[in-house]
Amino acid sequence: MSFRDWLVGTVVSTQSQTPTAKSIVLEVPGFGGSSAGQHIDVRLSAPDGYAAVRAYSLASTGPSSTIEITVDLIPDGEVSPYLVHELQEGDELELRGPLGRWFVWKPEVTAPVQLVAGGSGIVPLLAMVRAHAAAASTVQFKLLYSVRTPRDMFYASEFAALASPTFEVTYVYTRETPEGWPTPAGRVSRELLESATIPPSESPAVFVCGPTGFVESVASWLVELGHSAETVKTERFGGA
Amino acid sequence: MAVISRGFTGRPRESQPDLPPGQYLTKDFPVLSAGPTPAIDTADWSFVIKTETGKDASWNWEEFNALPKEDVTTDIHCVTRWSKLGTQWRGVSLDTLFENVESSYDYVMVHSYGGYTTNLPLDEILDGQAWIATEFEGEPLTPDHGGPARMLVPHLYFWKSAKWVRGITMQRDDNPGFWEQNGYHTNGDPWREERYW
């Protein structure tokens, strides 16, 4: 069995993260585990043999054959509406993986880690936070998480529960803040990045994931702030 | 035997002979890269072909733009499954760049500003199959799409069309480049679905 072979997973549970995003937990016999940050291909097949495949980041990590993805609805998409609205507990889903060996964090790496997420770009970064907690790693982890409104946040309670001396989250609300939030809604800026992230002097490994525009600005600012381009890994979400 | 996805019908089937297996059409031009977009000043830009003989062929931005350019209309296919049909590019053919290059090696490693690399057989980039493109849809190539200059090898998955190119080094063996070391196929033919290895 290789990561290139198609496997059949069974949906164990689903959970809404936001009005348009759903987490799907699957039991996948034969799945060989994954590193934090990897993704899978998901294949949907119609009765006439037509198939559509899309890649989804894994929120889960480690050796388990129980895996989790979180899918954000793309309204005119072909695959995400099915996964968010149709797929139910007990359904079978074809997938293969884990895929990708670049945008990956491994617990044996000792550099501090700065994560920067825009919207649904949080999913592979959550896998890294989970791997960090599972390994009881003492490496410093910081997450800057940008969402439009409080309702658009994924895994809010889990992030709150995982907060520790070695894991700190800064939230940024671009359209609407929670009540009583000390700063007005606004996008991530270079100044905010500078004040809320691990400085280049500590040589962090940086992972940036989100929509293209977000990733382009953040990654460019990080380099301007003095991070070496080789230490900034990016992944962009797009397409349908 | 594929599992039928209960209730899944998919998009209307259109006859798309130009679409390789497992690809879908997009009208956007998504961006995919592994790190920050490098800022490259054309005053500092150069393109160098290095061989085992030690005789390099090199061009600065002005010299490069004085070379004959070709207009190319082609389909492009990304390994992340989007394809874009009928895209328009302008650039210098690799045949032009290799005119006076002598090498007994059969493979190349393409190098980019920012450190990205990708490997190709020489056979796949000569004879009108590849260009160094400087324009997309009639405009200078923007940095996020690989400007000032990128490889264009449209018959292979688009990660082979390296952005921000700075040169080509001849290599004896087909040593893997960046994505090829990180899980992607060494050849990358979209019609054979050579995505991962």
Side-chain angles (χ1 to χ4, degrees):
Chain A
M1 196 65 74
S2 128
F3 66 85
R4 281 169 301 186
D5 295 321
W6 290 99
L7 303 171
V8 179
T10 302
V11 179
V12 177
S13 62
T14 65
Q15 190 191 344
S16 290
Q17 290 292 343
T18 73
T20 61
K22 191 183 250 184
S23 292
I24 300 163
V25 176
L26 297 136
E27 171 57 32
V28 191
F31 189 82
S34 63
S35 295
Q38 290 192 289
H39 62 275
I40 57 170
D41 274 350
V42 169
R43 177 163 75 185
L44 300 182
S45 296
D48 66 353
Y50 173 84
V53 180
R54 297 292 185 275
Y56 291 98
S57 286
L58 286 162
S60 54
T61 173
S64 174
S65 61
T66 303
I67 65 169
E68 178 180 347
I69 56 176
T70 295
V71 179
D72 199 17
L73 179 75
I74 297 170
D76 59 351
E78 182 174 28
V79 172
S80 64
Y82 179 86
L83 296 177
V84 171
H85 293 314
E86 292 291 329
L87 194 73
Q88 297 169 7
E89 217 175 291
D91 280 346
E92 290 185 327
L93 190 63
E94 281 190 300
L95 57 93
R96 67 174 175 181
L99 301 167
R101 294 173 217 165
W102 168 249
F103 196 82
V104 161
W105 180 75
K106 295 191 170 173
E108 54 269 27
V109 178
T110 54
V113 173
Q114 177 66 53
L115 309 173
V116 185
S120 61
I122 191 65
V123 178
L125 305 185
L126 167 68
M128 296 182 192
V129 173
R130 285 176 168 177
H132 176 256
S137 168
T138 55
V139 165
Q140 186 196 4
F141 255 54
K142 276 182 101 163
L143 166 64
L144 183 68
Y145 183 11
S146 168
V147 289
R148 290 154 58 95
T149 76
R151 293 178 301 284
D152 293 312
M153 190 177 293
F154 293 8
Y155 300 102
S157 56
E158 183 166 345
F159 284 122
L162 285 170
S164 79
T166 58
F167 174 57
E168 189 188 326
V169 190
T170 304
Y171 299 105
V172 178
Y173 299 94
T174 62
R175 296 282 173 83
E176 179 192 324
T177 67
E179 218 169 300
W181 195 252
T183 50
R187 291 183 174 205
V188 170
S189 63
R190 184 179 144 154
E191 292 65 36
L192 179 75
L193 263 185
E194 186 167 23
S195 64
T197 61
I198 302 173
S201 58
E202 294 178 36
S203 305
V206 188
F207 295 89
V208 186
C209 189
T212 289
F214 177 86
V215 171
E216 279 294 310
S217 326
V218 167
S220 300
W221 286 327
L222 287 167
V223 171
E224 286 173 23
L225 291 171
H227 293 269
S228 158
E230 296 84 65
T231 63
V232 180
K233 296 189 177 187
T234 62
E235 188 157 277
R236 295 159 163 89
F237 280 17
Chain B
M1 181 61 208
V3 171
I4 305 300
S5 312
R6 178 191 50 75
F8 176 70
T9 51
R11 289 207 170 122
R13 318 290 187 267
E14 289 167 35
S15 172
Q16 285 289 359
D18 297 335
L19 205 56
Q23 297 292 110
Y24 63 88
L25 284 178
T26 179
K27 294 204 163 52
D28 303 334
F29 191 179
V31 173
L32 191 78
S33 45
T37 296
I40 303 156
D41 187 340
T42 51
D44 305 325
W45 185 91
S46 69
F47 189 83
V48 185
I49 300 177
K50 293 185 176 178
T51 70
E52 73 278 17
T53 67
K55 276 192 235 159
D56 297 347
S58 103
W59 299 265
N60 65 24
W61 185 248
E62 199 174 303
E63 292 162 344
F64 188 85
N65 284 288
L67 295 170
K69 291 196 177 178
E70 297 177 6
D71 289 305
V72 184
T73 299
T74 186
D75 304 339
I76 56 177
H77 310 291
C78 180
V79 69
T80 62
R81 296 180 183 277
W82 58 262
S83 289
K84 196 170 166 61
L85 305 184
T87 58
Q88 292 180 12
W89 304 81
R90 186 169 171 79
V92 177
S93 167
L94 269 287
D95 296 324
T96 303
L97 298 172
F98 271 86
E99 226 158 65
N100 298 311
V101 173
E102 303 268 342
S103 173
S104 62
Y105 292 172
D106 293 331
Y107 299 95
V108 305
M109 186 71 85
V110 179
H111 293 270
S112 294
Y113 289 94
Y116 180 79
T117 56
T118 190
N119 58 296
L120 291 148
L122 191 57
D123 279 356
E124 298 282 348
I125 61 169
L126 297 182
D127 296 327
Q129 296 186 95
W131 297 263
I132 303 295
T134 54
E135 290 178 33
F136 174 70
E137 306 289 352
E139 300 287 335
L141 200 54
T142 55
D144 58 334
H145 288 303
R150 76 177 296 163
M151 277 287 276
L152 177 65
V153 198
H155 71 290
L156 300 176
Y157 281 127
F158 216 46
W159 88 79
K160 295 285 187 186
S161 295
K163 297 175 183 178
W164 316 302
V165 282
R166 64 183 307 166
I168 289 176
T169 303
M170 298 301 303
Q171 54 179 7
R172 187 196 308 264
D173 302 312
D174 197 16
N175 297 320
F178 173 82
W179 284 118
E180 294 83 1
Q181 288 172 46
N182 284 287
Y184 286 171
H185 198 281
T186 196
N187 294 324
D189 181 346
W191 295 95
R192 297 181 181 178
E193 285 215 79
E194 292 172 341
R195 297 177 193 274
Y196 317 115
W197 56 267

